[in-house]
Amino acid sequence: FTMSAKRKVKLREKDFESEEYLGKLNAITGRLAGAFPGEPLGREDVAKVILELLQGHEETLGAASKTPRPMVKLSMRHWQDYTPGGSLFMIVRRCVRFKLKKGLRRFDWQSEHKRTEFVAMLKDCAEELREKGLLGHTKVYVSGDV
């Protein structure tokens, strides 16, 4: 991941194709295969889904988003939790379920309708993370003299 001068995150596909990264996805891929029997979900497929989700996440909720952001971005720690029942697994499972239910070949956020659907899917992911105790509510303290 790199940041440019405009704070736009550039995701490099080669980072998601490296053997090191694919190795981190082994546990998640195994759990997803159990969650979606009959669906060919290999490590490369899971890596592509994660890349698509991160791109959409950044373009719809990032600092360079062209439209108002309806929610706060999920923290990078959630995208880097490679444990079998961790945050990344829950995000990918929820999004793959959405993709299969809608019959989508890939995630899309270009039109207003598709963007709304994509953000709603991310909100569902955030809600599931909250229910599992992996995402807390942001608390801000404002001093009384402000």
Side-chain angles (χ1 to χ4, degrees):
F1 309 105
T2 60
M3 298 279 286
S4 68
K6 289 185 175 181
R7 289 185 38 136
K8 184 173 181 179
V9 175
K10 291 183 181 180
L11 299 168
R12 297 181 304 202
E13 196 168 332
K14 67 179 182 177
D15 292 338
F16 293 85
E17 295 171 345
S18 73
E19 195 56 43
E20 178 186 356
Y21 184 77
L22 294 175
K24 293 177 182 179
L25 297 178
N26 283 335
I28 293 173
T29 304
R31 291 267 327 253
L32 287 171
F36 301 103
E39 288 298 319
L41 284 172
R43 296 181 317 169
E44 294 82 7
D45 301 317
V46 173
K48 285 179 185 173
V49 167
I50 294 169
L51 176 62
E52 280 182 26
L53 290 172
L54 280 169
Q55 285 173 334
H57 187 251
E58 186 59 36
E59 288 184 27
T60 57
L61 303 174
S65 176
K66 294 171 180 62
T67 56
R69 294 173 278 182
M71 67 179 272
V72 176
K73 284 174 44 176
L74 295 172
S75 169
M76 275 311 287
R77 72 181 166 91
H78 296 297
W79 296 100
Q80 296 172 338
D81 180 4
Y82 303 106
T83 56
S87 305
L88 183 60
F89 167 75
M90 287 197 280
I91 292 168
V92 172
R93 182 185 62 193
R94 163 95 43 184
C95 294
V96 168
R97 186 178 298 139
F98 175 85
K99 193 175 183 179
L100 293 173
K101 184 175 136 189
K102 297 279 187 178
L104 304 174
R105 291 191 318 179
R106 66 178 191 85
F107 295 106
D108 189 12
W109 52 87
Q110 303 305 321
S111 71
E112 186 59 35
H113 172 71
K114 298 217 183 251
R115 181 183 187 283
T116 304
E117 268 188 349
F118 186 80
V119 171
M121 178 184 67
L122 291 176
K123 283 182 179 179
D124 290 344
C125 291
E127 188 57 39
E128 184 176 355
L129 292 173
R130 253 188 219 96
E131 288 171 6
K132 301 290 183 186
L134 297 171
L135 178 67
H137 292 280
T138 304
K139 296 177 185 172
V140 178
Y141 173 76
V142 179
S143 176
D145 60 349
V146 173

